[in-house]
């Protein structure tokens, strides 16, 4: 957690000194902010598509958009669930309509864990709508992109968390169609064996490096509603118990 705070401090300091650009002051960042305002009644689908066009045609657009999305999610936590949901919808639309440069950034392990840690960790007390949206997105991207070695980081996270007991929503018909398989679990197991999908030692090493930042998940197979008591239901990682 201290490392994450330091990274946020360094980023903020860089912006204040003009060394790095504020993501919300970029063209795409301002559009994303406009598309996620709390006072909107419904999502602006045309604006969301415009955001995708900017990402696809602007140099550095994917990186700027991901930073802007993360910033808005961070700013809206515990303040505006509506803005959080709008931002997740923008993210979903961008993954569907933007090129691989954007999808690559979203499908990295760290981005997936950031969504979990920053948006649906128990201390954030997320609504069921937000919790389900985040888990659904992670699952959908994992199933769609896991066959691409450049994009299967999110699939590694998905399978790792499932093995740890995290309960995900049932896959949608669209998800099942994307996998081109009637048996989703058998498909994932087969793919895991063929492509070394899980790479457990690498996942565990990542967990140890980010210890304290990822032990925030309060949803288990025994507790699909997301209720939890204290820390006993959390999925925790430590040097004494690196397997969780």
């Amino acid at each position: 957690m201290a490392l994450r705070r330091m990274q946020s401090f360094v980023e903020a300091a860089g912006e204040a000194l003009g060394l790095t650009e504020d993501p919300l002051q970029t063209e795409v960042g301002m559009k994303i902010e406009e598309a996620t305002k709390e006072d909107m009644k419904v999502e602006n689908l045309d604006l969301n598509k415009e955001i995708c066009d900017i990402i696809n045609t602007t140099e550095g657009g994917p990186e700027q958009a991901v930073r802007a999305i993360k910033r808005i999610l961070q700013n809206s936590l515990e303040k505006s669930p509506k803005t959080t949901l709008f931002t997740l919808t923008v993210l979903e639309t961008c993954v569907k309509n933007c090129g691989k440069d954007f999808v690559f950034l979203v499908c990295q392990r760290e981005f997936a864990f950031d969504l979990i840690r920053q948006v649906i960790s128990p201390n954030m007390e997320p609504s069921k709508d937000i919790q389900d949206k985040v888990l659904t997105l992670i699952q959908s991207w994992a199933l769609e992109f896991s066959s691409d070695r450049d994009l299967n980081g999110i699939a590694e996270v998905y399978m790792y968390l499932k093995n740890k007991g995290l309960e995900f929503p049932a896959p949608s018909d669209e998800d099942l169609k994307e996998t081109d398989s009637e048996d989703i679990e058998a498909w994932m197991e087969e793919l895991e064996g063929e492509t070394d999908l899980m790479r457990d030692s690498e996942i565990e090493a990542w967990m140890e490096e980010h210890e304290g930042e990822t032990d925030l998940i309060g949803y288990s197979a025994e507790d699909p509603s997301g209720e939890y008591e204290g820390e006993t239901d959390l999925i925790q990682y430590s040097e004494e118990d690196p397997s969780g």
Side-chain angles (χ1 to χ4, degrees), residues 50 66 153 173-174 219 239:
E50 182 181 350
V66 167
D173 291 341
E174 183 177 355
Y219 316 106
E239 294 181 2

Side-chain angles (χ1 to χ4, degrees), residues 177-192:
K177 182 178 179 181
E178 290 290 347
T179 65
D180 194 26
S181 171
E182 295 181 357
D183 188 340
I184 190 64
E185 293 300 335
W187 181 85
M188 290 298 287
E189 289 175 6
E190 179 181 357
L191 186 62
E192 178 182 341

Side-chain angles (χ1 to χ4, degrees), residues 75-224:
N75 290 345
S76 66
L77 295 178
E78 300 181 291
K79 299 176 183 177
S80 175
K82 196 173 182 181
T83 291
T84 298
L85 283 172
F86 283 153
T87 307
L88 292 171
T89 297
V90 169
L91 176 59
E92 179 181 22
T93 302
C94 291
V95 169
K96 290 180 178 179
N97 295 280
C98 293
K100 189 173 180 178
D101 286 346
F102 180 86
V103 177
F104 174 82
L105 296 173
V106 173
C107 286
Q108 300 307 297
R109 295 176 195 161
E110 185 151 353
F111 186 85
F113 277 118
D114 276 346
L115 281 180
I116 294 169
R117 181 184 62 84
Q118 293 182 350
V119 182
I120 64 170
S121 61
N123 62 309
M124 297 300 176
E125 299 184 353
S127 68
K128 188 176 188 305
D129 286 343
I130 292 175
Q131 172 193 329
D132 287 349
K133 184 68 172 180
V134 169
L135 295 179
T136 296
L137 290 178
I138 290 175
Q139 177 172 251
S140 177
W141 299 333
L143 301 181
E144 181 174 357
F145 300 120
S146 57
S147 60
D148 188 327
R149 284 186 177 273
D150 291 337
L151 306 177
N152 66 13
I154 198 161
E156 294 173 354
V157 172
Y158 168 67
M159 291 298 290
Y160 186 86
L161 294 176
K162 280 179 68 71
N163 289 341
K164 291 296 183 182
L166 184 61
E167 186 81 1
F168 283 81
S172 67
D173 291 341
E174 183 177 355
D175 291 334
L176 294 173
K177 182 178 179 181
E178 290 290 347
T179 65
D180 194 26
S181 171
E182 295 181 357
D183 188 340
I184 190 64
E185 293 300 335
W187 181 85
M188 290 298 287
E189 289 175 6
E190 179 181 357
L191 186 62
E192 178 182 341
E194 291 179 356
T195 63
D196 191 27
L197 177 62
M198 281 301 295
R199 293 185 294 205
D200 283 331
S201 61
E202 294 183 22
I203 288 281
E204 295 294 353
W206 191 96
M207 288 294 188
E208 290 183 6
E209 180 182 351
H210 294 77
E211 183 181 353
E213 299 176 18
T214 53
D215 57 347
L216 299 169
I217 303 165
Y219 316 106
S220 67
E222 293 74 21
D223 184 19

